[in-house]
Amino acid sequence: MNCVPALSALLLVAAGLLSAGPVQADTARAEPGGKASAHLNFRILVPAVAQLESNQHPLQTVADDLDRGMHRAEQRLVVFSNLRRGLCMQLRLALPQVSGWQVQVADPASASLTPLGGDGYRLCTQRIGRTAIALVHRFEAHGQTQPLPWPVQTDLHAI
């Protein structure tokens, strides 16, 4: 009969289920009239989350000052994080023909913005939960009055 291998496999599974895993219990048996005690140790692990939920910006920028070739565009980011120290994003130029890039946070209470040198900014928020951040970009494209593809690359970093 094939009952013996099936029974031994069932016993192995039952032993695995009954063995102590992430939750451990400790009990003691008390004599009649004595005291009994028990305790449980629970450990709940919440995974770290840093997520860019939305990155809305125009597909192209258009020069609003044709004499100087300045391009202006707005970007809206929505991020979610449960990290205690918050999260940061690096914004950097992806088009070599764009220069004179300036960024401002529309609501400085939502995030902080720090220049990283010639071609980047560090955008950070220390809020836990969902945060909406509105940015205003200005670009200078020398002699470029035609629409430009979106020139900013956004990279998310946990801190």
Side-chain angles (χ1 to χ4, degrees), residues 18-40:
L18 293 175
S19 67
V23 176
Q24 297 179 353
D26 183 26
T27 61
R29 184 172 174 97
E31 296 297 322
K35 294 183 179 181
S37 67
H39 65 86
L40 295 173

Side-chain angles (χ1 to χ4, degrees), residues 3-15:
C3 290
V4 174
L7 183 59
S8 62
L10 182 62
L11 288 174
L12 283 174
V13 169

